[in-house]
Amino acid sequence: GGSPRAHSYTKYNTWSDVQNWINSISSANPSLVSKLVIGNTFEARPMTVLKLGKASSSTKPAIFMDCGIHAREWISPAFCQWFVKEALSTYGSDSQMTSLLDEMDVFVLPVFNIDGYVYTHTNNRMWRKTRSKKSGSSCIGADPNRNFDAGWCTLGASSNPCSDTFCGYNPESEIEVKNVADFIRRNKSIIKAYLTIHSYSQLLLFPYSYKYGLAADHTELMTVAQGAASALQSLYGTRYTSGPGATTIYPAAGGSDDWAYDLGVKYSYTFELRDTGRYGFLLPESQIKPTCEETMLAVKHIAAYVQKN
Ligand code: ING
Ligand code: ZN
């Protein structure tokens, strides 16, 4: 074949483009990036985590971030790609990024629900769920953000396999959820923060969503979220609301942030990126750059806080 064209960070890339990018960015930056396959999707696509960080002789604490849990939220994988590019291109010049990658590792899963993401490019732009099949039901997929083992299927989730918020046949029935949960469990002693990127609504959410009770760390989580939201707003004036999921968006059990928090990952946040509904999931490509730039400031605010705590 011919020489590969440069990756575009201001377009919504297909899975095939993202896969080529995962390979090229890791081979171009061997001292800062390694690839870890954490398992395969239902349709047998490899789930590759990019581990960003300077090699160290001692065990480093880490941040885990995933994008694209929901297939149609295309700005989310765009942000993970942007984050990786920014991290690598500002390491050595930006003092915060340099210190972050010297002292911590950042695990980035660019597309969590790959099968669903592919389906939104080929068949149905508004698909949300995984693409798993089970004999006995003609409906396909479960909502991966209702399939984690956190108050599973008790609230704001459906047991109807045809629903967009189907919780699955049991917790972690979705192989993509099991792969991520296994990875976080295996690395539980080093993972200090869990960040999961969704759209849309301009919210910065934290536990709990599966119940109305406040998290033990509520005050600290709220303070860090508000600091992140004001850093984000400083760039283009985009306003975010921060708070616990149940009262800020809606009660919903089985979410990844609640699960990670109850496992012991204290700094557990769900971002709902732009916009507030004008374009919704169909956010124009012209907004990828400003959305990613402002979101970087929020993620860096959280990372800096986690690093010093
Ligand atoms: N919103 C999230 C959803 O899964 C959420 C909101 C966050 C629910 C955390 C549960 C836990 O419905 C979107 N846009 O997907
Ligand atoms: Zn979502």
PDB file of all heavy atoms in Angstrom, residues 68-73 128 143 145-146 197-200 250 270-272 281, ligand 2:
ATOM      1  N   GLY A  68     -16.012   6.558  24.546  1.00  0.00           N
ATOM      2  CA  GLY A  68     -16.827   5.748  23.660  1.00  0.00           C
ATOM      3  C   GLY A  68     -17.482   4.547  24.308  1.00  0.00           C
ATOM      4  O   GLY A  68     -17.636   3.506  23.662  1.00  0.00           O
ATOM      5  N   ILE A  69     -17.920   4.674  25.561  1.00  0.00           N
ATOM      6  CA  ILE A  69     -18.756   3.608  26.143  1.00  0.00           C
ATOM      7  C   ILE A  69     -20.040   3.517  25.326  1.00  0.00           C
ATOM      8  O   ILE A  69     -20.525   2.421  25.028  1.00  0.00           O
ATOM      9  CB  ILE A  69     -19.089   3.871  27.637  1.00  0.00           C
ATOM     10  CG1 ILE A  69     -17.895   3.563  28.532  1.00  0.00           C
ATOM     11  CG2 ILE A  69     -20.312   3.051  28.066  1.00  0.00           C
ATOM     12  CD1 ILE A  69     -18.224   3.476  30.014  1.00  0.00           C
ATOM     13  N   HIS A  70     -20.583   4.662  24.971  1.00  0.00           N
ATOM     14  CA  HIS A  70     -21.805   4.698  24.153  1.00  0.00           C
ATOM     15  C   HIS A  70     -21.446   5.032  22.707  1.00  0.00           C
ATOM     16  O   HIS A  70     -20.726   6.000  22.433  1.00  0.00           O
ATOM     17  CB  HIS A  70     -22.796   5.716  24.716  1.00  0.00           C
ATOM     18  CG  HIS A  70     -23.398   5.252  26.010  1.00  0.00           C
ATOM     19  ND1 HIS A  70     -23.523   6.058  27.111  1.00  0.00           N
ATOM     20  CD2 HIS A  70     -23.899   4.033  26.359  1.00  0.00           C
ATOM     21  CE1 HIS A  70     -24.080   5.353  28.100  1.00  0.00           C
ATOM     22  NE2 HIS A  70     -24.307   4.121  27.676  1.00  0.00           N
ATOM     23  N   ALA A  71     -21.978   4.211  21.798  1.00  0.00           N
ATOM     24  CA  ALA A  71     -21.539   4.232  20.406  1.00  0.00           C
ATOM     25  C   ALA A  71     -21.737   5.576  19.709  1.00  0.00           C
ATOM     26  O   ALA A  71     -20.886   6.022  18.946  1.00  0.00           O
ATOM     27  CB  ALA A  71     -22.283   3.135  19.648  1.00  0.00           C
ATOM     28  N   ARG A  72     -22.878   6.217  19.971  1.00  0.00           N
ATOM     29  CA  ARG A  72     -23.221   7.422  19.191  1.00  0.00           C
ATOM     30  C   ARG A  72     -22.575   8.693  19.695  1.00  0.00           C
ATOM     31  O   ARG A  72     -22.711   9.745  19.059  1.00  0.00           O
ATOM     32  CB  ARG A  72     -24.737   7.592  19.204  1.00  0.00           C
ATOM     33  CG  ARG A  72     -25.304   7.860  20.594  1.00  0.00           C
ATOM     34  CD  ARG A  72     -26.818   7.726  20.575  1.00  0.00           C
ATOM     35  NE  ARG A  72     -27.383   7.858  21.929  1.00  0.00           N
ATOM     36  CZ  ARG A  72     -28.637   7.524  22.226  1.00  0.00           C
ATOM     37  NH1 ARG A  72     -29.436   7.044  21.285  1.00  0.00           N
ATOM     38  NH2 ARG A  72     -29.083   7.675  23.453  1.00  0.00           N
ATOM     39  N   GLU A  73     -21.866   8.641  20.809  1.00  0.00           N
ATOM     40  CA  GLU A  73     -21.297   9.849  21.416  1.00  0.00           C
ATOM     41  C   GLU A  73     -19.923  10.120  20.815  1.00  0.00           C
ATOM     42  O   GLU A  73     -18.885  10.005  21.462  1.00  0.00           O
ATOM     43  CB  GLU A  73     -21.284   9.678  22.944  1.00  0.00           C
ATOM     44  CG  GLU A  73     -22.698   9.480  23.491  1.00  0.00           C
ATOM     45  CD  GLU A  73     -22.785   9.009  24.942  1.00  0.00           C
ATOM     46  OE1 GLU A  73     -21.756   8.956  25.627  1.00  0.00           O
ATOM     47  OE2 GLU A  73     -23.919   8.686  25.384  1.00  0.00           O
ATOM     48  N   ARG A 128     -26.607   3.097  20.590  1.00  0.00           N
ATOM     49  CA  ARG A 128     -25.971   3.408  21.882  1.00  0.00           C
ATOM     50  C   ARG A 128     -25.258   2.205  22.503  1.00  0.00           C
ATOM     51  O   ARG A 128     -24.196   2.318  23.098  1.00  0.00           O
ATOM     52  CB  ARG A 128     -27.083   3.907  22.828  1.00  0.00           C
ATOM     53  CG  ARG A 128     -26.728   3.991  24.306  1.00  0.00           C
ATOM     54  CD  ARG A 128     -27.922   4.570  25.072  1.00  0.00           C
ATOM     55  NE  ARG A 128     -27.830   4.437  26.520  1.00  0.00           N
ATOM     56  CZ  ARG A 128     -27.408   5.412  27.342  1.00  0.00           C
ATOM     57  NH1 ARG A 128     -26.998   6.571  26.847  1.00  0.00           N
ATOM     58  NH2 ARG A 128     -27.407   5.220  28.643  1.00  0.00           N
ATOM     59  N   ASP A 143     -26.747  -1.899  27.417  1.00  0.00           N
ATOM     60  CA  ASP A 143     -26.124  -0.603  27.701  1.00  0.00           C
ATOM     61  C   ASP A 143     -24.901  -0.847  28.587  1.00  0.00           C
ATOM     62  O   ASP A 143     -25.044  -1.263  29.743  1.00  0.00           O
ATOM     63  CB  ASP A 143     -27.134   0.307  28.409  1.00  0.00           C
ATOM     64  CG  ASP A 143     -26.565   1.706  28.660  1.00  0.00           C
ATOM     65  OD1 ASP A 143     -25.330   1.870  28.633  1.00  0.00           O
ATOM     66  OD2 ASP A 143     -27.380   2.620  28.897  1.00  0.00           O
ATOM     67  N   ASN A 145     -23.119   1.129  30.146  1.00  0.00           N
ATOM     68  CA  ASN A 145     -23.120   1.966  31.350  1.00  0.00           C
ATOM     69  C   ASN A 145     -24.310   1.669  32.272  1.00  0.00           C
ATOM     70  O   ASN A 145     -24.638   2.456  33.152  1.00  0.00           O
ATOM     71  CB  ASN A 145     -23.083   3.451  30.984  1.00  0.00           C
ATOM     72  CG  ASN A 145     -22.354   4.271  32.041  1.00  0.00           C
ATOM     73  OD1 ASN A 145     -21.377   3.800  32.635  1.00  0.00           O
ATOM     74  ND2 ASN A 145     -22.834   5.487  32.294  1.00  0.00           N
ATOM     75  N   ARG A 146     -24.905   0.497  32.075  1.00  0.00           N
ATOM     76  CA  ARG A 146     -25.884  -0.057  33.024  1.00  0.00           C
ATOM     77  C   ARG A 146     -25.466  -1.469  33.413  1.00  0.00           C
ATOM     78  O   ARG A 146     -26.173  -2.149  34.138  1.00  0.00           O
ATOM     79  CB  ARG A 146     -27.292  -0.136  32.388  1.00  0.00           C
ATOM     80  CG  ARG A 146     -27.870   1.197  31.963  1.00  0.00           C
ATOM     81  CD  ARG A 146     -28.209   2.104  33.148  1.00  0.00           C
ATOM     82  NE  ARG A 146     -28.785   3.379  32.693  1.00  0.00           N
ATOM     83  CZ  ARG A 146     -28.071   4.410  32.239  1.00  0.00           C
ATOM     84  NH1 ARG A 146     -26.751   4.334  32.189  1.00  0.00           N
ATOM     85  NH2 ARG A 146     -28.669   5.521  31.836  1.00  0.00           N
ATOM     86  N   ILE A 197     -15.659   9.374  29.539  1.00  0.00           N
ATOM     87  CA  ILE A 197     -16.083  10.516  28.725  1.00  0.00           C
ATOM     88  C   ILE A 197     -17.324  10.153  27.912  1.00  0.00           C
ATOM     89  O   ILE A 197     -17.292   9.209  27.109  1.00  0.00           O
ATOM     90  CB  ILE A 197     -14.939  10.971  27.781  1.00  0.00           C
ATOM     91  CG1 ILE A 197     -13.587  11.072  28.524  1.00  0.00           C
ATOM     92  CG2 ILE A 197     -15.306  12.285  27.093  1.00  0.00           C
ATOM     93  CD1 ILE A 197     -13.505  12.122  29.608  1.00  0.00           C
ATOM     94  N   HIS A 198     -18.399  10.925  28.140  1.00  0.00           N
ATOM     95  CA  HIS A 198     -19.663  10.767  27.409  1.00  0.00           C
ATOM     96  C   HIS A 198     -20.034  12.103  26.776  1.00  0.00           C
ATOM     97  O   HIS A 198     -19.350  13.104  26.956  1.00  0.00           O
ATOM     98  CB  HIS A 198     -20.788  10.370  28.382  1.00  0.00           C
ATOM     99  CG  HIS A 198     -20.688   8.982  28.948  1.00  0.00           C
ATOM    100  ND1 HIS A 198     -21.546   7.976  28.584  1.00  0.00           N
ATOM    101  CD2 HIS A 198     -19.839   8.446  29.857  1.00  0.00           C
ATOM    102  CE1 HIS A 198     -21.236   6.863  29.261  1.00  0.00           C
ATOM    103  NE2 HIS A 198     -20.191   7.127  30.042  1.00  0.00           N
ATOM    104  N   SER A 199     -21.152  12.103  26.065  1.00  0.00           N
ATOM    105  CA  SER A 199     -21.797  13.346  25.671  1.00  0.00           C
ATOM    106  C   SER A 199     -23.294  13.061  25.648  1.00  0.00           C
ATOM    107  O   SER A 199     -23.690  11.895  25.588  1.00  0.00           O
ATOM    108  CB  SER A 199     -21.321  13.812  24.293  1.00  0.00           C
ATOM    109  OG  SER A 199     -21.858  13.002  23.254  1.00  0.00           O
ATOM    110  N   TYR A 200     -24.167  14.003  25.650  1.00  0.00           N
ATOM    111  CA  TYR A 200     -23.875  15.413  25.771  1.00  0.00           C
ATOM    112  C   TYR A 200     -24.623  15.953  26.975  1.00  0.00           C
ATOM    113  O   TYR A 200     -25.481  15.241  27.512  1.00  0.00           O
ATOM    114  CB  TYR A 200     -24.356  16.135  24.475  1.00  0.00           C
ATOM    115  CG  TYR A 200     -25.837  15.975  24.225  1.00  0.00           C
ATOM    116  CD1 TYR A 200     -26.775  16.903  24.720  1.00  0.00           C
ATOM    117  CD2 TYR A 200     -26.335  14.848  23.540  1.00  0.00           C
ATOM    118  CE1 TYR A 200     -28.144  16.728  24.508  1.00  0.00           C
ATOM    119  CE2 TYR A 200     -27.698  14.676  23.343  1.00  0.00           C
ATOM    120  CZ  TYR A 200     -28.592  15.609  23.824  1.00  0.00           C
ATOM    121  OH  TYR A 200     -29.921  15.417  23.636  1.00  0.00           O
ATOM    122  N   TYR A 250     -29.748  12.041  36.180  1.00  0.00           N
ATOM    123  CA  TYR A 250     -30.885  11.170  36.541  1.00  0.00           C
ATOM    124  C   TYR A 250     -30.342   9.961  37.295  1.00  0.00           C
ATOM    125  O   TYR A 250     -29.174   9.596  37.129  1.00  0.00           O
ATOM    126  CB  TYR A 250     -31.672  10.700  35.305  1.00  0.00           C
ATOM    127  CG  TYR A 250     -30.846  10.384  34.064  1.00  0.00           C
ATOM    128  CD1 TYR A 250     -29.956   9.314  34.041  1.00  0.00           C
ATOM    129  CD2 TYR A 250     -30.971  11.155  32.905  1.00  0.00           C
ATOM    130  CE1 TYR A 250     -29.206   9.023  32.904  1.00  0.00           C
ATOM    131  CE2 TYR A 250     -30.215  10.867  31.752  1.00  0.00           C
ATOM    132  CZ  TYR A 250     -29.333   9.805  31.771  1.00  0.00           C
ATOM    133  OH  TYR A 250     -28.592   9.518  30.654  1.00  0.00           O
ATOM    134  N   THR A 270     -17.564  11.159  35.618  1.00  0.00           N
ATOM    135  CA  THR A 270     -18.153  11.039  34.284  1.00  0.00           C
ATOM    136  C   THR A 270     -18.284  12.434  33.684  1.00  0.00           C
ATOM    137  O   THR A 270     -18.928  13.303  34.283  1.00  0.00           O
ATOM    138  CB  THR A 270     -19.560  10.410  34.346  1.00  0.00           C
ATOM    139  OG1 THR A 270     -19.453   9.064  34.839  1.00  0.00           O
ATOM    140  CG2 THR A 270     -20.214  10.365  32.965  1.00  0.00           C
ATOM    141  N   PHE A 271     -17.657  12.646  32.545  1.00  0.00           N
ATOM    142  CA  PHE A 271     -17.836  13.897  31.790  1.00  0.00           C
ATOM    143  C   PHE A 271     -18.963  13.709  30.791  1.00  0.00           C
ATOM    144  O   PHE A 271     -19.016  12.696  30.093  1.00  0.00           O
ATOM    145  CB  PHE A 271     -16.576  14.232  30.974  1.00  0.00           C
ATOM    146  CG  PHE A 271     -15.466  14.869  31.745  1.00  0.00           C
ATOM    147  CD1 PHE A 271     -14.639  14.116  32.563  1.00  0.00           C
ATOM    148  CD2 PHE A 271     -15.224  16.237  31.617  1.00  0.00           C
ATOM    149  CE1 PHE A 271     -13.586  14.722  33.260  1.00  0.00           C
ATOM    150  CE2 PHE A 271     -14.179  16.838  32.307  1.00  0.00           C
ATOM    151  CZ  PHE A 271     -13.360  16.092  33.133  1.00  0.00           C
ATOM    152  N   GLU A 272     -19.827  14.704  30.713  1.00  0.00           N
ATOM    153  CA  GLU A 272     -20.788  14.811  29.605  1.00  0.00           C
ATOM    154  C   GLU A 272     -20.362  16.041  28.831  1.00  0.00           C
ATOM    155  O   GLU A 272     -20.569  17.174  29.282  1.00  0.00           O
ATOM    156  CB  GLU A 272     -22.222  15.000  30.131  1.00  0.00           C
ATOM    157  CG  GLU A 272     -22.769  13.840  30.953  1.00  0.00           C
ATOM    158  CD  GLU A 272     -23.323  12.707  30.102  1.00  0.00           C
ATOM    159  OE1 GLU A 272     -23.257  12.780  28.868  1.00  0.00           O
ATOM    160  OE2 GLU A 272     -23.816  11.743  30.701  1.00  0.00           O
ATOM    161  N   PHE A 281     -25.905  14.557  20.010  1.00  0.00           N
ATOM    162  CA  PHE A 281     -24.890  13.574  19.593  1.00  0.00           C
ATOM    163  C   PHE A 281     -24.269  13.956  18.251  1.00  0.00           C
ATOM    164  O   PHE A 281     -23.174  13.498  17.920  1.00  0.00           O
ATOM    165  CB  PHE A 281     -25.506  12.177  19.498  1.00  0.00           C
ATOM    166  CG  PHE A 281     -26.136  11.727  20.787  1.00  0.00           C
ATOM    167  CD1 PHE A 281     -27.499  11.463  20.875  1.00  0.00           C
ATOM    168  CD2 PHE A 281     -25.362  11.600  21.939  1.00  0.00           C
ATOM    169  CE1 PHE A 281     -28.076  11.064  22.072  1.00  0.00           C
ATOM    170  CE2 PHE A 281     -25.935  11.207  23.143  1.00  0.00           C
ATOM    171  CZ  PHE A 281     -27.298  10.945  23.209  1.00  0.00           C
TER     172      PHE A 281
HETATM  173 ZN    ZN B   2     -23.058   8.034  27.258  1.00  0.00          ZN
END
